[in-house]
Amino acid sequence: MEQLQNKIEAYKLEAGTENVADAKALEDFRIKWLGTKGIVKEIMGEMKNVAPENKKQAGQLLNEFKVFIEQKYTDLKANAGEAGDQAGQTIDLSLPGDDLPIGSRHPVTLMRNRIVSIFQRLGFAVAEGPEIEDDWHNFGALNLPEHHPARDMQDTFYIQQNPAFLLRTHTSNVQIREMEKGVLPIRGIYPGRVYRNETVSARSHCFFHQVEGLYIDENVSFADLKQTLYFFVKEMYGKDVKVRFRPSYFPFTEPSAEMDVSCFICGGEGCSVCKKTGWVEILGCGMVHPNVLSNCGIDPNKYSGFAFGMGIERPAMLKYGINDIRLFSENDVRFLKQFTSAI
Ligand code: DAH
């Protein structure tokens, strides 16, 4: 562990002194540090040699290092741009520009913004986390140790050269990253893309989007969870929609529930969308498990909280009458331009 720390420090010093004079040198910097055989990749590979009890700390260190190098690259890029300008290699601003067609917002973005803005009005702050994640933040810290059967439901894609890193299966990793910061109370809403090793079909895809919510403070109860989600449902689906909670199981919450809303297509009568049940499942939720709080250095005897997670594609499909999830990622403008209306 100490060896790894020293190595990272030495690399940071080295990267800190690098400078580039032109685009070629900038590209050399990128290849050396961020390329597929670059130093960042190489050092990430050391994760597998780290003892299990140090994995969490090592994961953080490696992540910070990556961010550091990426920032350095961004800075160098900005400087190289200026240097280019000074050398007289600027574009001729007097030339007429190309006509850029104005696009429209993606339906997933529209739905995400709508969900997020409801929680923002309740004082939830937006944050994001990495899509390429370590095992600890995606599983371990969420009370899903290695070989836990619940991992079966969330098979994902691993990085071949370094299986310690994977594509996150849910946005719940952001809960961990926000709690680790140690600033309490927390009231956060975390949208993002997630991945699963699933066969692509009209109803499921190997990547999709979720929004995660987290509320941690003293004396937070299940009643707070319910009221918050009731408010969300009314804002999102209207005042007449009914809500029900079904007991469920997630390793990172206890108790856990799934929340259904009465089918807003048939009004609860029963149709193909709600599979004749009159209810549509919207999200998973629960009280944050004490083990999860402890894993993030939060005292479960003092603090409690609730969390929830919901998909974005499904509500968007229901809202816009989209019958194939693959349409979202095919980049067909004929499909995409239909969703210009603000929702
Ligand atoms: N992460 C879960 C999933 O992807 C959803 C979820 C359930 C998130 C319960 C939560 C929660 O925060 O409390 O299936």
Side-chain angles (χ1 to χ4, degrees), residues 41-114:
K41 279 271 152 58
E42 174 210 307
I43 197 160
M44 289 283 180
E46 307 220 350
M47 191 73 184
K48 62 177 178 301
N49 306 327
V50 174
E53 65 275 19
N54 291 333
K55 280 228 190 294
K56 179 179 163 192
Q57 201 197 346
Q60 263 171 327
L61 274 175
L62 290 172
N63 229 23
E64 272 165 27
F65 176 61
K66 184 165 155 255
V67 172
F68 175 85
I69 298 292
E70 283 168 351
Q71 185 57 45
K72 176 77 189 177
Y73 176 64
T74 313
D75 294 347
L76 289 175
K77 204 170 172 178
N79 288 341
E82 276 167 24
D85 288 353
Q86 280 155 11
Q89 296 163 352
T90 48
I91 42 164
D92 181 354
L93 294 176
S94 65
L95 287 172
D98 285 336
D99 223 3
L100 282 181
I102 296 180
S104 56
R105 286 211 197 282
H106 194 281
V108 168
T109 308
L110 291 171
M111 186 48 79
R112 182 200 66 196
N113 290 352
R114 187 173 158 156

Side-chain angles (χ1 to χ4, degrees), residues 319-337:
K319 168 93 189 163
Y320 296 118
I322 298 165
N323 59 9
D324 191 328
I325 195 170
R326 291 169 292 198
L327 288 165
F328 286 124
S329 49
E330 280 175 358
N331 265 351
D332 184 339
V333 281
R334 289 167 308 175
F335 167 75
L336 294 171
K337 72 182 178 192

Side-chain angles (χ1 to χ4, degrees), residues 148-177:
H148 191 292
R151 282 196 183 201
D152 276 359
M153 288 185 294
Q154 300 199 358
D155 189 19
T156 183
F157 303 97
Y158 289 83
I159 313 290
Q160 203 163 29
Q161 287 97 338
N162 188 350
F165 287 88
L166 47 86
L167 297 186
R168 68 172 173 194
T169 57
H170 47 188
T171 41
S172 304
N173 67 327
V174 195
Q175 285 189 36
I176 303 301
R177 292 197 170 272

Side-chain angles (χ1 to χ4, degrees), residues 19 34 46-47 50 82 93 128 133 146-147 160 169 196 199 215 225 230 232 256 276 286 296 306 335:
N19 220 338
L34 295 165
E46 307 220 350
M47 191 73 184
V50 174
E82 276 167 24
L93 294 176
E128 287 181 24
E133 188 53 286
E146 223 180 315
H147 308 305
Q160 203 163 29
T169 57
R196 302 267 170 105
T199 314
Y215 193 128
L225 162 67
Y230 283 154
F232 167 70
S256 308
K276 307 249 183 280
C296 301
F306 64 78
F335 167 75

Side-chain angles (χ1 to χ4, degrees), residues 225-284:
L225 162 67
K226 281 179 121 177
Q227 282 309 321
T228 306
L229 294 179
Y230 283 154
F231 176 82
F232 167 70
V233 168
K234 301 276 172 227
E235 292 295 303
M236 183 83 183
Y237 297 107
K239 298 224 171 338
D240 300 328
V241 167
K242 294 199 195 66
V243 180
R244 77 174 182 188
F245 286 84
R246 279 178 293 108
S248 185
Y249 172 75
F250 300 101
F252 34 91
T253 45
E254 180 60 39
S256 308
E258 269 162 299
M259 190 180 85
D260 300 342
V261 294
S262 55
C263 183
F264 35 81
I265 305 287
C266 65
E269 304 258 302
C271 65
S272 64
V273 169
C274 61
K275 299 196 203 93
K276 307 249 183 280
T277 62
W279 296 95
V280 183
E281 185 200 317
I282 292 294
L283 53 79

